[in-house]
Every structure is written in C-alpha cells, then in structure tokens.
C-alpha cells in the first residue's frame, strides 16, 4: 500500500565552511537565470519526476546540492543526464523555478568540463548531432549505427529492425539538404566562439 | 542645490498618507534597497496634488516628479485619487507644450502593503529620469 | 520664529547609515533654526523630556523631529510638545528611517538625503499655524459586520458593556465557519457545543439587533456618526411568521439544491434551514433551484406551511442604521478543488477539501458523523491528508501560510482513528506549524498515540486506480518518490479572503492587501484598528487565524469601541478645509468635487455667495484645494503655501 | 471560412519512422481546406541533444528554420512534432524576450531571425483555428468500435508559459477533436505522464517501466486504442510494446494511432491511404466495423425507438415517488 522506491547514494560529512563552492552557485544562477534560493525543498519536483527511480540523486536533492554548492557531486551525477526534459518539475514547482532548465544548464556545464557520468546518453546525443551536422537532418539508421558502434551496444534495438524494415518505416539513405553546409557552419561558428570565450 | 553632485538627480515625490506613504514605509521596514534620489512630500490624498506643484517643481530644479496614490477604488477618501488621475493625466499631456519631457513625470498607485512594488516604482522611475539626464543642466547647454 | 530640530539615532537603525551629527550641524545653519541636536532614542521618556526641556530653555516655538515614519510616532511627539505648552500642529516630522536609513547603504548619499528631508520639514513647520479641534457628539451604537465567532464575540462583549449592537450577517445563520466544524483543536471539544450557547446569547440579547441574510449596501459618515444602508435580502419566507418547524423542507420536491452550509457534500432542498442549531432558525428559499421560480409551478411549501409564512413575491428591503463605530469580522474563504488540475480538479469524488471532511465527520452533517467516502458511501480505511494545498504556493498566488491547517489536519487524523479504529492516515507536509500553547503536543500526539504517518514532501499527482486513489508524492527525508493507495484524500485547501472582501473594504475606506485581507493600523501595536478611525477588525478577515486568536481579536475590538465610546464627545481633526470668503468667487467647483459633500453654498450678509465647509463632514482630503481656481479654499496643515515651501526647500535649497 | 495557410515543418521523424503521421496529417488538412507550404531546405530543430550543448547553439539550430519561415511571409508555422515545437518556441521566446540572446543566436546564423513567426502544434491549429464545428462537419464515416485514450505526452502542453495551449495537467484538445468525430473517448489520468521516449535507445529498461505505466492506465480506463500526437510517443508505445511485454511480463496488444489517422478514417480515407499498415500493433480489427455515417445514424435511430418505452416508465415511477414523500 505504501510503495517506496529506494535510492542509493553515499555521502560523507560535508564541511560546509570548506566545501561550499560559492562561484558554482553563482555560475548556475547566472547561466540558468533562476534564483536557486527560491527552492524550499518541498520535493514536488521529485514527486512528479518520471525518471526519479533511475536518478542517483532525486531532482529536489540536486536542487539542494546546488544550494550548498556541491559542484563535483552534481556534475558527476547520473541524474542530470537521465533527466529527459519532460518539464513536469517546471510545471509543478510551487516556487515557479524552471527546474528542467536548471538541469539543462547543469548538463551544459558538465559537458563543458568533460564530466559526463552517463556516457551512453551523451554518445547518443552526439550521434544525433553528428547526423544533423553532416546531413542537416536526422538520419535514423545512421544515428543508431553510430551510437551502437561507439557505445559498444551492438545489438541495441536490433530486435526492432525487422519490424521497422518490413513496415517500410526507415530510409536506408540519408536525405542531405541543400543547405547542409549552412547547418554545419552553425556548428563551426559555435565551436570557434566557444573556444574564444574559454 | 540639493542632491549629491554627479551621483544623484533631483526627484520629488508626492505620496498620499494612507497608501503610498505607507507603501514606502513598508518597503523601508522590509529593507528593500532603493536609489536615493527621491525626496518625499507627504500629502493626505493624491487628490491634494495640484498640477501646479508638479510644474513648479520641474521648472525650479527637479529633474523628475513622481505622484503616487491609492489604487483606484481603494482611496481612503472615496475617490480623491479619481480626481487626481484626471488632473494628472491632463498635466501629462500638457507638459510637452511647456518644453518638459513627459517622461519626467509619473503617476502611479501603490498600496500600503506593496513594499516590493514601491521599490520597483522608485527604481524604475529613477532609472528613467537618469536616462533623460539632468533637466536644468541640459537647458543651460541648449540655451 | 524659533525652530528646534531633534535628530534621532534610533539606536543604530538611523545612525548606522546616516551621519546624524552632520545633519544636526547642517540644520543649525538654517535661518530660523536656533537649536539642533541628535539623540539616541527620541521617543523614549528621557528623549521626550529632552524636547520639553529644550522648548523651555531655548524658548522654541516650532519643533522638527527627524526620526521614524510620522505614521509611527507623530502622535507621540504632538503630545510631547503640547505638554510643553505648544500647539500640537507646531510639530513636523522628517522620515529619515523608513525612507532613508533603511533603504540606502551609502552613508554619504543617505546623509545628504536626510539633510534635505529635515530642511523640508523645517520649511514647512515655519508655515504651520496653530489649529484647534472642536468636539462633536458620538452615536454610541456599534455595528458588527459578519457573525462568525469573531463577530459574535465582539457583539456580545459590546452588548454586555451596555452598548447597542447591530449585527449584520450575510448568510441565513450566524456562526460562520466554526458552526461547520466538528471538533476543535487542541482540546477536541465539540465545536457547536461551545458555539451554540453563544449563538443563542446573541439571539436573545436585548442589546443586539440581528440582520441575518443581509448585506451592506452603502456606508456614509465618519467616526461617531455613520449611516449604513443594510440590504435585507429576500428569503421568500416571512420570518416574523416562520417558526422553523421544518415542515416545508421535508416536503419540498427539489432535492438537488446546492448546500452552501455543507460545502456541497450532499444536496439540500430548495427551501431549507441551513442546520439544526441555526440562528435565526428560519427557512429560506433558494430561487436558483426552487421550481416555483425556475418553472413557475410548485407551491408545495406555501400549501404545507402551517403559519402561511411563504411569500414568493418578497423583495429585498433596505434599512438604514445609524452607528458610531463599525467592527468588521467578515472572516475568510477557501480555495476550491478546481485550483488543482493535477489532483483531478474536483473530478474525483473521493478527493475532497478539509472543510468538506469536517462536515463528513460532523454528527449533524450529511452522513450523521459516519465517515463514508462520497463515491460509494463505504468506510475509507486509508486516508491521505495533503497539507499546504495551494498555500505557500507562489504559482497559485498564495505565497503565505494558511495558519491553522497543520493543526486541523492533525485533529482530523485523530478523529478519523477514533471513528475508524482500523484506519491508517498519512499526512503529506512541508513543515508542521503548531506554535500555540499545547499545539505541538497535539500534532505529536497524532503521530505518537494515533499512529498517523507524516511524510515530508509535497504531492505531485493524484489519480484513480480501480477503487483507490493513488497519491504520488515525495518523501524528501528518504530522498525518494512515494505512493500511497488511498480510499479518501483530503486537501487542506488554502485560506483566502472572504468573497467580496475587496468591495467591502472600499465601502469602508479601509485598506486591504494584495490578497484581500484587511490591513491593520500597525502590525504589532494596533492590530485591531484600521487607518479609518471608528472602523475596527476582528478575526480572519485580517489574515488566516484560528478560533482562539479570532475570539481574542473580537474582544479586543470590542474594548477599543468601549474606549472610543467612553467619551460623550469626540474631538475632530482640525486639519480640514477652510474658505477664505474674500477670495472665493462662488464658482462652486469645490462643492461639485468634494467626495464627502462637505461643502455647501452660503450667502454672506452682504449678499455674496460663497462656499462653506461643514466642519464635521470634511474628511480632510484636500481635493477641493487643488480644484479651487482662486486658492480660496485651503486644507489646513496642507495649504498651498506649506506644500510649496517643501517643494522650494528641495528644488531651490 | 477563409482559406488558411501555414508553413509546415514536418520534422525529421516524419520523413522516416513517422511517415504515416505526415501522410495522414496532409490528407486531413486537405479535407479541412488548409494549405500547407513546406519551408524550403529546412533542417533539424536540434531537439533535446542540442540543449545539452549550449542554449545559444540549440536556439540557433531551431532559429535557422524560423528565419526561413519568416521570409515566406506566412506568419504561422505548424509542426506535428512536440519536440520540434518546443525547440521553436523556446528559441522564439528567448530571442524575443532577450535582445542580447537574440544577437548571440543570430551571430551563428547566415540569415538572422527577427522574431516574427508564431509556432503552433498541428493539434492546436486543428483544435483552435479550424474548430470543432468544422471538424464534425466533414465526417463521413462512423467508427463505432473505437474506445480511444488520448495521450498527449510530456511536452505538448508544458511548461504552460511556453506551450500556451490547453491545460498542462489535464489537456482536452485531442479528446474533444476525437469526440467531435463521433468517436468514443475514455478519460484517464496519465495523459501527460512521460512515456520515456527520449531514452528509447540508450536506457531501455527505464523506458519499459514508464511505457508500461501509460499503457496500463489507458487499458484500465477501458480504452482499446491510443491516440497520439507525437512521433516519439507513437514509436515508443507502438514499436516497443513487445519489448515492454517481455520486460514487464505483460501482454499488451493495443494499437497506437496518430490522431490524424483517426480523423482520416472518419473522413472516409482508406486505411491504405492513411498508411495504417505501418503500425506495428495492427488496428485492423477495430476499424473493420467502420460504416458510412448515414447508415450508422439510421441504425441508432432504430435502436432508440426500440428502447423508448423504458425511460417513460422510469419517469412515471419517479413522479409517484415524489408524491409519496
Ligand atoms: C477545515 C477547517 C477546520 C478548522 N478547525 C479549527 C479548529 O479545530 N480550531 C480552531 O481554532 N480553528 C479551526 N479552524 C479555523 C476557524 O474556522 C477560524 O479560525 C474561524 O472560523 C474564524 O472566525 P471568523 O469569525 O473570523 O470568520 P468566519 O468563521 O469565516 O465568519 C465570518 C462570518 O462573516 C460573514 N460574512 C462574510 N462576508 C460578509 C459580508 N460582506 N457581510 C456580512 N457578513 C459577512 C460570513 O458569512 C461568516 O458568517 C478550521 C478551519 C477549517 C477550514
Ligand atoms: C530573543 C527574542 C526575540 C524576540 N523577538 C521578537 C520579535 O521580533 N517580534 C515579536 O513580535 N516578538 C518577539 N519576541 C517575543 C516578545 O518578547 C514577547 O512577545 C513580548 O515581550 C511579550 O510581552 P508581555 O508583555 O506579555 O511579556 P514581557 O515582555 O515578559 O513583560 C512582562 C513584564 O512583567 C513583569 N513581571 C513579571 N512578573 C511580575 C510580577 N510578579 N509582578 C510584577 N511584574 C512582573 C516583568 O518584569 C516584565 O516587565 C522575542 C523574544 C525573544 C526572547
Ligand atoms: S518543486 Fe521547486 S521548490 Fe519544490 S523542491 Fe523542487 S525545485 Fe524546490
Ligand atoms: S524535466 Fe527532468 S528532472 Fe524534471 S521531471 Fe522531467 S525528467 Fe525529472
Ligand atoms: S522616535 Fe522612531 S526612530 Fe526614534 S527611537 Fe523612537 S522609533 Fe526609533
Ligand atoms: S416556512 Fe413554515 S413550514 Fe417552513 S419552517 Fe417556517 S413555519 Fe415551518
Ligand atoms: S415552491 Fe420551491 S421551495 Fe417550495 S416546495 Fe416547491 S420547489 Fe420547494
Ligand atoms: S498551516 Fe501548515 S498546512 Fe497550512 S499552509 Fe501553513 S504550513 Fe501549510
Ligand atoms: S472652488 Fe474656490 S472659488 Fe469656487 S466656490 Fe469653491 S472656494 Fe469658492
Ligand atoms: S478637504 Fe475639501 S474636498 Fe476633502 S472632504 Fe474636506 S471639503 Fe471635501
């Protein structure tokens, strides 16, 4: 009748005087545009999060870790990568915090600092973006293959293959749009700009 | 000349005793920080504000004038603020004819409980006046 | 003219960010100022004594105190200088605390601002004239608006003190929310058992005149002399004849009328007496449901009524009551379920509000005190309470705490266990707020003795699964999502201002906050007074509060009225408009704009027509002064000269 | 009603795994008299992956398309894919509310986007711009066997200040559109509960559980098919149903149709035209009973006439009861 999904996480005593990373708190507030102090730890975001059972830290605890400036714990967490931006937390937060956007911001920072705990997900995203860069659009077979090869999950979704193929759902060849170079340029410009700024 | 040269402009505020003066008090009690340019004159009701006061202030040294009263329908004196609004609306339209940018004058409503709104009003209006710059120095350079 | 200036430190409140000594030094340079000093706590007894001494020693005739807001201490210092022999209007205050030291951090800028503020006050005080109040007679009748527990207490205390009381209640019976409650925390005594006798006292008190099912149409006048128009709404039953026998209700064929008293837990008849202990115990027809009104035919009740009380033609009636003071005790309202789409927004019958549950628990409620869930009338075994449903929720526009729901949840959970011993209650909470006497022990008892499970976290979603309601929330202490499969879910919905609260405030000329709760004169020191003299507050109309606090305020408001009425005559505020008949050209523009109809036309002996202010009616708004084309009508203490002196002090100083 | 025209951004999925969504949507719009013009040379909106890289970069991928549409002078863009929609809306909001952000985004683009395009989901234009009346007007066939649970997915209506459409917790647009067709709709609580589609590939175990919940809630509500408006949802609920069955020990066999396919069926298009054969879980048996609307009405009238006696009797009984009391 009373169902609990258990989380496992380990934590040492945190010496707040030493281990509060104030710059990190500032950085996240600035990049996300959200005031982290608004969170009063009601847990509503966790209560609604469809993925919480797979998170190492439920989203309200990510918010708490943020408030206490626990940079490494957060950037190394699986939670920020397992968040699917489903916007449930943002929709229901009584304090009107755009929690999903905060999670988004944390992924960006983690990626920038090369701290990605969920390699698979990042790889999948990268495969996706590669396709966009090369063809201007998503080429599903290619994306899947790239992902499978890079992640070592060779058989991922292989069982679906026959179904999809017989239904004529997948194109074997990518459509490359005329302006694919224009799209690639967006990637390039972004990369140059990012390099310039740090 | 009042005001701290270089840092401040001169802004005169007419606040009704019941609502906006109370709102400014509430903002103070809550320690809502505000720009310091504003000098407040307490009147019983925004309906007591004679448009001539506003003009006089702007012509003799103020860079901006702010009038704030009770919300419509929430006037301590039934509808003093209604008269105020009519008069001050008229004034706003007349200001350009005497060579004053109407943005130097602002009329608004703040209730006694709206400390936060008061902070916002003061901050916004002060910024607006700063954007326009000092009124009298400009005149001198123009003339 | 000899002006004395006193700059207050207010401990560090002012002196911390304003150079008070420099302000005093600057003031000494002003023409007319013969004395300027700064003092630690000016409002303290030695502080006031210092002013008095200085007046004598330095022969001062005008005083400026630069300190906190005049809304705080103007009266204090007026009395001080009066004691030293000066007219009380020879005082001006400069607000250098709320408007300066508390809102700016730069000491240099603050000090400059304070110098300006005091300069303005000096400029004004030099133009001040002595003013003298006149006195007028007080009508020692008091009106109480709202017949909840707060209003009843106020009415009874006033009446017991010998005052005539007019009690106006919007609904058909007095009693308010408390009449609907089952038991009350923290003692768990029966609500109606303690309230009922009070209701009877109200009904039987010879000094109390009750207008039930009535609303305020209009309020005119001023402290001591109000005229209030009361609209007695049509009940379609002649209450002078109705004996409350209930025969009509039993026979009425319309059984689906909305039951306001029971918050819709069960339907009622189109003609009904709201509850057995109702005061007055009279029937009333709801024309929105009555077939006689909706379909034009029925008339069953008229046929049945043994006293011939039914009158389908009845109209609203307006009566005017003259009173000298008004106590407002209009209570509060509650959020509806439709505010909660993620909890089904009222679509699931087994998700109900706290007040509905109170009716279900109540022995005289629709289920006769048996806990039965609305969907299938079975006894729930697992009950979930959701606290802060809408409260402390910025996204729903209620950032404040509703004050008493933590307590009534604990109460309802305890009562649930008493009714259904094999039941299990869960409470989702963010914080348990129980700071009153015996309160925390009470919420602990719910957990320790009654086994109520408290889960710290909000509820994100409620959805049906078979016959159960799944409540999905978080347990933030476990750091996880949790689910409870409940038979019944009770939401402690947010307390909001009473319906129509803002409109009522506008009629009374009192202020209300963003949420519609009425604003007291001072949050600590004048909690039952308003800024409109003669109007007082009691109970939850001022903000969510429980019964003890509401009753306390009812008594406090009554004692304020007693104090006001202890004098036969009141002193008027002399800061009113005055006409200079030499300057007045008789255009009568002022007559037309005065919001209080305080000006009339008068013919002088020489035949000249001029305006004349009726002293007792003028409220001192000054609208006339800024209307008059000739400057002939001047609001005393805020004349053109005085205000322009302030303008000049800033602009040309 | 004046002819309506929209810039139609189908999105990458509708070129591949969600071909049938594209086909059925185009057919339905033709019936409803709406013109769709495809922006030339559109590119991927960036979707979720771009948002893990950078906010400006993500907005740029979306804004490239908005800039193209802006040039078309149509004003409103419509896309069937909520994921694309969200990307467009977020880019648009960010760029119109924050001048500096706009400049940063435009720096990455060849053609700047000035903020002149409104984006709406295909469901929104059907529900709001076409309207229920017109939707009902065009119906030619009844689908008496369908009991539909409308599934909106997580981001069709959320967060509310970005989506600005329907209710974020209990959306009703799709339910009403389907009801307007005369098709039975079942209410249930999981209309917006995330199905996990975003992680269909890398986190399959996790997705199975989420998908399971949505499917079982729909079945519990008495639905025999699910209507969706999102290509990712469809793929997840339909294609992976067998994965879910295997992982969770369930035996779902519930067809997952695009709501536009249901519309097409009611408008008389053949299952073939609507690419019904591309569904993994076949909807064949459910739509076999489709009949022309006139025939259906006649049948119902006959039924009603037969049943008429009963209610009259009940009414009389009711009246008697009143007298008694
Ligand atoms: C579910 C629930 C359980 C509670 N349990 C407890 C408890 O156990 N113990 C406890 O201490 N407190 C409890 N409370 C709180 C309690 O109800 C309030 O403290 C109390 O009712 C406040 O009294 P009041 O007189 O200020 O307001 P009300 O009871 O709201 O009375 C206001 C009256 O004014 C009338 N009125 C409103 N507007 C007008 C108008 N314009 N003109 C004329 N009349 C008007 C209303 O009809 C009403 O009769 C509970 C509240 C709820 C919701
Ligand atoms: C650290 C602290 C901070 C606080 N801050 C706030 C705040 O910010 N806001 C707020 O609202 N409240 C605050 N309070 C609470 C506040 O102090 C009390 O609410 C308030 O003082 C109660 O007033 P009182 O008159 O009932 O009692 P007291 O202030 O205790 O006064 C009782 C008086 O009676 C005298 N007395 C006692 N026994 C006898 C006797 N037998 N014969 C004669 N005289 C006697 C005492 O000497 C005393 O002068 C604070 C309290 C503390 C401890
Ligand atoms: S819902 Fe909002 S306030 Fe509550 S814990 Fe999550 S982020 Fe904090
Ligand atoms: S947006 Fe991410 S964190 Fe928020 S509810 Fe969805 S999955 Fe959880
Ligand atoms: S007079 Fe006002 S400012 Fe001075 S000590 Fe008293 S409260 Fe403080
Ligand atoms: S109206 Fe008549 S029947 Fe009804 S309660 Fe009154 S006296 Fe009785
Ligand atoms: S006339 Fe109206 S109130 Fe009276 S019995 Fe008929 S329905 Fe009931
Ligand atoms: S009293 Fe308790 S339940 Fe009610 S709003 Fe306050 S904290 Fe929430
Ligand atoms: S407006 Fe002035 S001049 Fe006219 S009647 Fe009134 S006081 Fe006299
Ligand atoms: S000040 Fe003038 S306008 Fe105001 S009430 Fe008095 S007479 Fe009337």
């Amino acid at each position: 009748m009373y169902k609990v999904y258990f989380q496992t996480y380990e934590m040492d005593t945190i010496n707040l005087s030493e281990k509060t990373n104030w710059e990190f708190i500032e950085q996240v507030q600035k990049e996300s545009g959200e005031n982290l102090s608004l969170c009063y730890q009601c847990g509503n975001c966790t209560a609604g999060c469809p993925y919480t059972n797979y998170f190492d830290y439920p989203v309200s605890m990510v918010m708490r870790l943020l408030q206490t400036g626990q940079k490494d714990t957060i950037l190394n967490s699986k939670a920020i990568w397992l968040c699917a931006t489903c916007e449930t937390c943002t929709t229901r937060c009584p304090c009107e915090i755009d929690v999903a956007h905060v999670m988004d911001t944390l992924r960006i920072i983690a990626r920038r600092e090369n701290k990605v705990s969920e390699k698979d997900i990042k790889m999948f995203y990268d495969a996706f973006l590669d396709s966009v860069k090369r063809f201007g659009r998503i080429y599903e077979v290619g994306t899947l293959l790239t992902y499978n090869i890079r992640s070592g999950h060779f058989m991922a979704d292989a069982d679906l293959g026959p179904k999809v193929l017989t239904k004529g759902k997948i194109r074997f060849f990518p459509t490359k749009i005329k302006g694919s170079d224009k799209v690639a340029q967006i990637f390039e410009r972004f990369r140059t700009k990012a390099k310039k700024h740090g | 000349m009042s005001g701290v040269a270089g840092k401040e402009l001169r802004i005169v505020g007419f606040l009704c005793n019941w609502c906006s003066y109370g709102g400014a008090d509430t903002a103070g009690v809550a320690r809502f920080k505000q720009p310091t340019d504003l000098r407040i004159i307490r009147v019983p009701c925004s309906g007591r504000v004679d448009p001539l006061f506003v003009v006089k202030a702007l012509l003799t040294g103020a860079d901006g004038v702010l009038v704030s009263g009770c919300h419509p329908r929430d006037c301590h004196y039934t509808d003093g603020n209604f008269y105020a609004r009519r008069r001050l609306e008229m004034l706003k339209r007349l200001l350009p004819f005497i060579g004053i940018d109407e943005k130097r004058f602002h009329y608004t409503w703040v209730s006694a409980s709206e400390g936060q709104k008061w902070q916002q009003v003061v901050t916004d209006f002060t910024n607006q006046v700063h954007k326009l710059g000092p009124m009298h120095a400009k005149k001198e350079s123009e003339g | 003219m000899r002006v004395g200036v006193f700059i207050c430190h207010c401990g560090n409140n002012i002196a911390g960010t304003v150079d008070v000594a420099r302000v005093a030094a600057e003031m000494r340079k002003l023409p007319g100022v013969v004395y300027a000093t700064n003092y630690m706590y000016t409002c303290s007894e030695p502080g006031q004594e210092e002013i008095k001494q200085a007046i004598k020693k330095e022969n001062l005739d005008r005083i400026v105190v630069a300190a906190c807001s005049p809304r705080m201490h103007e009266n204090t210092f007026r009395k001080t200088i009066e004691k030293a022999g000066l007219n009380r209007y020879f005082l001006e205050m400069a607000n250098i605390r709320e408007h300066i030291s508390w809102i700016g951090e730069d000491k240099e800028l603050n000090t400059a601002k304070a110098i300006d503020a005091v300069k303005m006050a000096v400029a004004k005080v030099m133009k001040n004239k002595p003013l003298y109040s006149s006195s007028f007679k007080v009508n020692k009748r008091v009106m109480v608006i709202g017949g909840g527990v707060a209003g009843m207490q106020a009415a009874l205390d006033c009446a017991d003190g010998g005052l005539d009381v007019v009690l106006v209640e919007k609904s058909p019976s007095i009693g308010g929310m408390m009449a609907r409650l089952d038991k009350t925390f923290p003692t768990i005594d029966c609500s109606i058992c303690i309230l009922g006798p009070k209701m009877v006292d109200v009904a039987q008190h010879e000094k109390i005149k009750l207008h039930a099912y009535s609303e305020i149409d209009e309020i005119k006048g001023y402290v001591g002399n109000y005229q209030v128009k009361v609209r007695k709404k049509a009940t379609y039953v002649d209450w002078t004849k109705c004996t409350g026998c209930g025969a009509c209700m039993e026979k009425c064929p319309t059984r689906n009328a909305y039951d306001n008293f029971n918050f819709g837990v069960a339907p009622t008849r189109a003609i009904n007496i709201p509850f057995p202990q109702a005061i007055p115990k009279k029937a009333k027809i709801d024309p929105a449901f009555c077939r006689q009104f909706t379909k034009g035919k029925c008339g069953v009740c008229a046929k049945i009524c043994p006293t011939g009380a039914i009158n389908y033609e009845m109209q609203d009636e307006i009566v005017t009551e003259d009173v000298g003071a008004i106590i407002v005790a209009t209570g509060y309202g509650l959020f509806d379920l439709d505010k909660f789409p993620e909890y089904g927004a009222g679509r699931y019958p087994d998700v109900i509000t706290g007040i509905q549950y109170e009716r279900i628990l109540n022995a005289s409620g629709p289920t006769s005190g048996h806990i039965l869930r609305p969907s299938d009338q079975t006894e729930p075994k697992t009950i979930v309470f959701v606290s802060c449903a809408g409260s402390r929720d910025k996204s729903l526009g209620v950032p404040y705490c509703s004050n008493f729901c933590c307590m009534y949840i604990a109460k309802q959970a305890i009562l649930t266990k008493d009714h259904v011993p094999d039941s299990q209650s869960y409470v989702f909470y963010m914080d348990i707020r129980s700071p009153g006497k015996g309160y925390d022990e009470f919420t602990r008892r719910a957990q320790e003795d009654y086994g109520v499970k408290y889960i710290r976290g909000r509820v994100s979603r409620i959805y049906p699964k078979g016959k159960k309601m799944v409540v999905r929330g978080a347990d933030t202490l476990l750091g996880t999502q949790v689910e409870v499969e409940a038979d019944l879910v009770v939401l402690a919905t947010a307390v909001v201002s009473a319906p129509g609260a803002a409109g009522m405030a506008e009629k009374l000329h009192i202020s209300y906050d963003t949420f519609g709760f009425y604003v007291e004169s001072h949050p600590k020191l004048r909690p039952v007074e308003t800024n409109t003299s003669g109007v007082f507050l009691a109970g939850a109309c001022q903000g969510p509060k429980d019964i003890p606090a509401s009753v306390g305020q009812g008594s406090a408001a009554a004692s304020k009225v007693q104090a006001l009425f202890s004098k036969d005559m009141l002193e008027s505020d002399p800061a009113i408009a005055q006409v200079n008949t030499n300057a007045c050209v008789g255009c009568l523009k002022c007559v037309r704009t005065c919001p209080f109809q305080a000006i009339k036309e008068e013919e002088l002996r020489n035949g000249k027509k001029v305006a004349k202010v009726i002293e007792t009616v003028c409220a001192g708004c000054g609208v006339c002064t800024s209307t008059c084309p000739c400057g002939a009508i001047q609001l005393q203490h805020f004349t053109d000269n005085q205000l322009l002196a302030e303008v000049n002090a800033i602009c040309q100083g | 009603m004046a002819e309506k025209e929209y810039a139609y951004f189908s999105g990458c999925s509708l070129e591949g795994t969600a071909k049938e969504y594209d086909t059925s949507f185009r057919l339905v719009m033709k019936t409803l008299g709406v013109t769709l013009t495809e922006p030339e040379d559109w590119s991927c909106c960036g979707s979720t992956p771009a948002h893990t890289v950078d906010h400006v970069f993500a907005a740029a991928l979306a804004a490239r398309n908005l800039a193209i549409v802006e040039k078309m002078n149509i004003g409103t863009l419509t896309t069937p894919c909520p994921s694309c929609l969200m990307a467009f809306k977020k880019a648009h909001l960010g760029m119109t509310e924050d001048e500096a952000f706009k400049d940063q985004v435009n720096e990455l683009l060849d053609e700047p986007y000035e903020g002149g395009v409104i984006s709406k989901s295909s469901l929104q234009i059907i529900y709001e711009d076409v309207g229920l009346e017109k939707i009902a007007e065009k119906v030619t066939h009844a689908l008496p066997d369908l009991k539909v649970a409308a599934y909106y997915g997580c981001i069709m209506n959320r967060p509310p200040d970005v989506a600005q459409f329907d209710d974020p917790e209990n959306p009703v647009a799709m339910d009403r559109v389907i009801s307007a067709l005369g098709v039975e709709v079942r209410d249930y609580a999981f209309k917006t509960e995330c199905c996990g589609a975003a992680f269909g590939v890398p986190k399959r175990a996790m997705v199975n559980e989420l998908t399971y919940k949505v499917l079982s809630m729909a079945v519990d509500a008495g639905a025999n098919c699910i209507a969706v408006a999102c290509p990712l949802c469809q793929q997840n609920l339909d294609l992976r149903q067998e994965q879910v069955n295997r992982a969770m020990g369930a035996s779902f066999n519930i067809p997952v149709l695009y709501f536009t396919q249901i519309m097409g069926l009611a408008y008389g298009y053949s299952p073939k035209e609507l690419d019904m054969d591309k569904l993994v879980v076949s909807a064949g048996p459910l739509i076999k009973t489709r009949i022309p609307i006139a025939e259906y009405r006649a049948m119902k009238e006959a039924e009603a006439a037969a049943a008429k006696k009963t209610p009259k009797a009940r009414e009389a009984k009711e009246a008697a009861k009143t007298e008694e009391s």
Side-chain angles (χ1 to χ4, degrees), chain C residues 53 67 227 278 283 382-383 388 398 405 429 439 490 513 575 584 594:
Chain C
Q53 291 304 325
Q227 299 90 46
T382 308
I383 297 96
C388 306
V398 180
C405 12
Y429 74 102
Y439 283 18
V490 181
D513 64 21
C584 172
C594 172

Side-chain angles (χ1 to χ4, degrees), chain C residues 36 96 112 118 120 138 180 245 276 284 291 304 331 422 428 432 457 464 501 532 574 597 650:
Chain C
I96 60 170
V118 188
M120 286 156 70
V138 186
R180 289 146 156 139
C245 69
K284 176 213 110 215
R291 296 181 188 188
I304 291 288
D422 60 342
F428 281 91
I432 303 174
T532 300
Q597 289 90 44
I650 326 169

Side-chain angles (χ1 to χ4, degrees), chain C residues 213-276:
Chain C
Y213 205 48
S214 299
E215 280 179 55
I216 306 297
D217 256 14
E218 187 186 274
I219 300 171
K220 271 195 168 161
Y222 48 94
V223 56
N225 295 282
Y226 285 107
Q227 299 90 46
V228 186
K229 281 198 181 134
V230 178
R231 173 180 297 269
K232 303 190 69 136
K233 294 178 283 185
T235 54
Y236 309 103
V237 175
D238 182 344
W239 281 8
T240 57
K241 292 184 185 155
C242 172
T243 60
C245 69
C248 51
M249 190 170 171
E250 214 171 289
K251 288 290 185 294
C252 172
T254 305
R255 295 141 184 269
N256 62 345
Y258 184 81
D259 190 347
N260 279 310
F261 185 78
N262 283 317
F263 280 86
V265 172
T268 183
R269 310 289 166 106
I271 187 165
N272 63 70
I273 299 166
F275 57 107

Side-chain angles (χ1 to χ4, degrees), chain A residues 1-7 9 38 40-44 46-49 52-53 58 61 92-96, chain C residues 382 392-395 426 430 455-461 472-474 476 478-485:
Chain A
M1 244 210 263
Y2 182 72
K3 193 170 161 199
V4 180
Y5 302 102
F6 260 100
Q7 237 62 71
Y9 44 80
L38 289 180
Y40 55 24
Q41 284 294 303
C42 68
N44 206 348
T46 296
C49 177
T52 195
N53 305 327
M61 205 174 285
R92 295 194 190 140
C93 173
C95 300
E96 298 181 321
Chain C
T382 308
R392 306 171 67 192
D393 189 330
K394 254 208 279 188
S395 70
Y426 296 86
M430 288 204 285
I455 305 163
R456 199 216 168 268
R458 267 199 187 244
V459 169
S460 177
R461 210 185 213 330
R472 183 196 291 167
T476 58
L478 281 175
T480 183
Q481 207 171 64
V482 293
E483 278 177 358
V484 182
E485 292 180 6

Side-chain angles (χ1 to χ4, degrees), chain A residues 87-102:
Chain A
E87 309 277 0
T88 311
C89 48
T90 297
T91 306
R92 295 194 190 140
C93 173
C95 300
E96 298 181 321
I97 305 169
D98 191 343
V99 191
H101 189 63
V102 172

Side-chain angles (χ1 to χ4, degrees), chain C residues 502-520:
Chain C
M504 189 76 227
E506 283 154 13
K507 285 180 192 149
L508 287 158
H509 303 306
I510 60 175
S511 338
Y512 54 97
D513 64 21
T514 332
F515 313 107
F517 292 113
Y518 300 152
V519 177
E520 65 283 7

